[in-house]
Amino acid sequence: MTFKTLLAASALALSLPLAAQAQGLVPGAERGAAAGADAAGPIGGIVGGAVGAATGTVGGILGVDMAPRFRSYVRERNVRSYDYDGRVAVGSTLPSSGVTYYDVPSEYRVQPGYRYTVVNDRPVLVDRGHRIVEVID
């Protein structure tokens, strides 16, 4: 791996947004480090870990690979949708009453404290303050 490639990969990894609470960070870093180490040794592992962490974080709390499964899980449960007049987006806060919140099964590896509900027919993850942290489309 050349120095220019290493520098470019590092710049890419640092330019992507990193949200420490996102669940995709750790699995992304692990996968990236393993793939990078296999391809280019210790330096590849460092770069792969940084890039993997960044791209895993971009995948959201559930991660890109878990979101479709979780969406199917919610649909199979036939969870009643809450009609919300506001915007269904990350950062919106839902009311504490009138909305039913459900625990996320452990198989989805979501940190404790996050729950899910369905708002305007869209599954969402919320934090303890009922703030939407991920919309599962």
Side-chain angles (χ1 to χ4, degrees):
M1 176 179 271
T2 68
F3 181 72
K4 287 182 182 180
T5 305
L6 177 64
L7 187 60
S10 297
L12 173 66
L14 295 174
S15 69
L16 294 171
L18 291 176
Q21 79 273 13
Q23 284 288 72
L25 184 130
V26 173
E30 289 172 347
R31 286 191 297 268
D38 289 345
I43 299 293
I46 293 168
V47 173
V51 172
T55 57
T57 299
V58 170
I61 291 171
L62 279 172
V64 176
D65 55 339
M66 289 287 205
R69 265 185 55 211
F70 185 72
R71 188 178 324 106
S72 294
Y73 168 84
V74 173
R75 285 191 182 129
E76 288 169 6
R77 300 297 168 288
N78 204 19
V79 172
R80 188 170 147 234
S81 181
Y82 174 75
D83 292 326
Y84 183 60
D85 291 333
R87 203 175 109 197
V88 180
V90 172
S92 297
T93 302
L94 300 174
S96 57
S97 63
V99 182
T100 305
Y101 298 98
Y102 305 91
D103 292 329
V104 178
S106 61
E107 67 187 85
Y108 294 101
R109 297 181 299 231
V110 172
Q111 290 178 352
Y114 290 114
R115 293 180 295 165
Y116 77 92
T117 191
V118 177
V119 179
N120 298 349
D121 297 318
R122 299 170 74 187
V124 298
L125 291 177
V126 297
D127 64 12
R128 292 179 198 268
H130 307 238
R131 185 177 58 90
I132 297 174
V133 294
E134 185 169 354
V135 179
I136 319 295
D137 282 325

